């Protein structure tokens, strides 16, 4: 059974860089896409972006170029960096797998299962 | 971006009664090449991550009780709980994966009346 666990600093000051790692157990990083999703306290869900096991990425433009994702297949980990954080970046950050559904000609992804338990990152001076 | 709008924002239903949640997308999420709707539903209980209930609008995930059903196509979708149980108290989200950025509805909170 695939399980995901987020790790990283939980308290940041404004302008610092958020850095989180998601470690996968019970499965392999390949051949999937892997996403980061966040949820401000008491609010809804926002997709941050995904990374493919090959290293290709797709980020949400709403984060205005502050996001970088990376993958380490040897460690079964993928990571998120978000720079120049503000209080608006305070949220529970989840990592999740993007399942893939393939037909004879194409593959499709973009929904999320399973999810990590999430980690609350607080930005405060 | 595709905007997902859920209604209502919250609802209170008696145990054993039907709960209906609507989700409307600002653009069509039915892909003509495979005739599938790029729409997922999630359930989030307090203090837990979201749990996938349905992919492709109405493909139920393993282990999801059959009192849950998904329906709809194009821009209008519905999640129905046919007979609400106490363990169904949660916030429910729809999400489109037709085009990036993937986007979620604002959530619908289901409570017991």
């Amino acid at each position: 059974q695939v399980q995901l666990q987020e790790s990283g600093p939980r308290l940041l000051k404004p302008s610092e860089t958020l850095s989180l790692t998601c470690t996968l157990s019970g499965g392999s990083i390949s051949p999937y896409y892997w996403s980061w999703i966040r949820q401000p306290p008491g609010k809804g869900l926002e997709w941050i972006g995904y990374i493919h096991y090959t290293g290709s990425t797709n980020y949400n433009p709403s984060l205005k170029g502050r996001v970088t994702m990376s993958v380490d297949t040897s460690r079964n980990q993928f990571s998120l960096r978000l720079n120049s954080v503000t209080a608006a970046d305070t949220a529970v950050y989840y990592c999740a797998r993007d399942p893939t559904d393939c037909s004879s000609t194409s593959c499709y992804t973009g929904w999320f299962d399973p999810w990590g338990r999430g980690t609350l990152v607080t930005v405060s001076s | 971006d595709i905007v997902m709008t859920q209604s209502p924002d919250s609802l209170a239903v008696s145990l054993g009664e039907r709960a209906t949640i609507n989700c409307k997308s600002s653009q069509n999420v039915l892909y003509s090449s495979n005739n599938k709707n790029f729409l997922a539903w999630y359930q989030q209980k307090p203090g837990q991550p979201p749990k996938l209930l349905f992919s492709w609008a109405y493909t139920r995930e393993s282990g999801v009780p059959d009192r849950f059903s998904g329906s709809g196509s194009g821009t209008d979708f519905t999640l129905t709980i046919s007979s609400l149980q106490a363990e169904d108290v949660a916030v429910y989200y729809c999400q489109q994966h037709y085009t990036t950025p993937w986007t979620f509805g604002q959530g619908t909170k289901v409570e017991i009346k």
Side-chain angles (χ1 to χ4, degrees):
Chain A
Q1 180 181 353
V2 172
Q3 292 187 320
L4 303 171
Q5 178 67 58
E6 303 88 349
S7 60
R10 300 188 179 187
L11 181 61
L12 297 173
K13 291 182 168 53
S15 81
E16 292 185 334
T17 296
L18 179 155
S19 182
L20 296 174
T21 294
C22 185
T23 301
L24 170 69
S25 59
S28 175
I29 284 278
S30 63
Y32 295 101
Y33 291 86
W34 302 88
S35 280
W36 289 94
I37 300 136
R38 69 180 182 178
Q39 184 172 36
K43 296 189 177 180
L45 300 159
E46 179 183 31
W47 175 73
I48 298 169
Y50 69 58
I51 185 164
H52 192 233
Y53 78 100
T54 58
S56 65
T57 56
N58 188 321
Y59 304 140
N60 193 326
S62 69
L63 291 158
K64 296 182 176 62
R66 297 191 293 132
V67 177
T68 305
M69 296 183 185
S70 59
V71 63
D72 185 338
T73 55
S74 66
R75 293 186 175 188
N76 253 7
Q77 293 178 333
F78 58 102
S79 299
L80 167 70
R81 287 175 62 86
L82 179 66
N83 57 35
S84 305
V85 298
T86 69
D89 295 309
T90 293
V92 176
Y93 285 76
Y94 296 102
C95 58
R97 184 178 66 180
D98 298 25
T100 304
D101 189 354
C102 295
S103 67
S104 57
T105 56
S106 300
C107 288
Y108 307 99
T109 190
W111 62 105
F112 312 112
D113 180 58
W115 297 57
R117 293 190 59 82
T119 187
L120 174 62
V121 178
T122 302
V123 180
S124 174
S125 56
Chain B
D1 298 4
I2 296 179
V3 177
M4 307 300 290
T5 304
Q6 293 180 227
S7 61
D9 289 334
S10 64
L11 73 161
V13 176
S14 300
L15 289 172
E17 296 300 306
R18 179 184 300 263
T20 301
I21 300 168
N22 299 302
C23 173
K24 189 173 184 67
S25 58
S26 61
Q27 299 175 34
N28 174 50
V29 298
L30 172 63
Y31 190 43
S32 57
S33 294
N34 64 357
N35 199 36
K36 289 187 174 184
N37 290 281
F38 283 52
L39 189 285
W41 286 99
Y42 302 87
Q43 174 194 63
Q44 186 177 32
K45 296 182 179 180
Q48 296 184 18
K51 171 189 172 184
L52 179 67
L53 297 178
F54 293 91
S55 56
W56 305 119
Y58 46 77
T59 300
R60 189 183 295 108
E61 293 300 303
S62 174
V64 175
D66 60 8
R67 63 179 179 273
F68 289 89
S69 62
S71 63
S73 185
T75 61
D76 293 280
F77 300 90
T78 300
L79 174 68
T80 302
I81 310 171
S82 61
S83 176
L84 190 74
Q85 304 300 304
E87 60 265 33
D88 302 334
V89 168
V91 179
Y92 294 84
Y93 293 94
C94 61
Q95 178 240 329
Q96 66 81 21
H97 54 97
Y98 185 84
T99 185
T100 59
W102 316 135
T103 50
F104 294 86
Q106 79 276 16
T108 295
K109 187 174 185 178
V110 174
E111 299 173 306
I112 305 295
K113 184 187 292 183

